[in-house]
Amino acid sequence: MKIEVLKDIRLAEEDYKKMISEAQEKRKTITTSAELEADNMIQKAHADAEEFKKQRIADARKEADNRYQRIVSDGKAEAMALENKGRQNLPKAVDLLVSRFREQLNVST
């Protein structure tokens, strides 16, 4: 009877050792899988951040180009308006210049 009990104890110990070993293997597998998943998530986060950065830079460049085009367009329109205004005043300016010139000639003589 003692031998049977000792055999049962030995079998129970072997079963527990086997269960512990399997649990440790399962823990290693789960840990490895979790680490791999974490690494993949980190890589994806880096890739997403890089893509976001590139998109923001592209958006900023587009906005800057639009502002540049608007400024150039406004500048050209203002220059054209000033030129037209100057052309309207050109005959008056010529007349004024000629009259002043004539005055200078009359004063000199």
Side-chain angles (χ1 to χ4, degrees), residues 51-63:
E51 183 61 32
F52 179 76
K53 179 181 85 170
K54 287 179 182 178
Q55 186 61 45
R56 292 289 295 151
I57 289 171
D59 291 346
R61 284 187 178 157
K62 185 176 180 181
E63 183 179 339

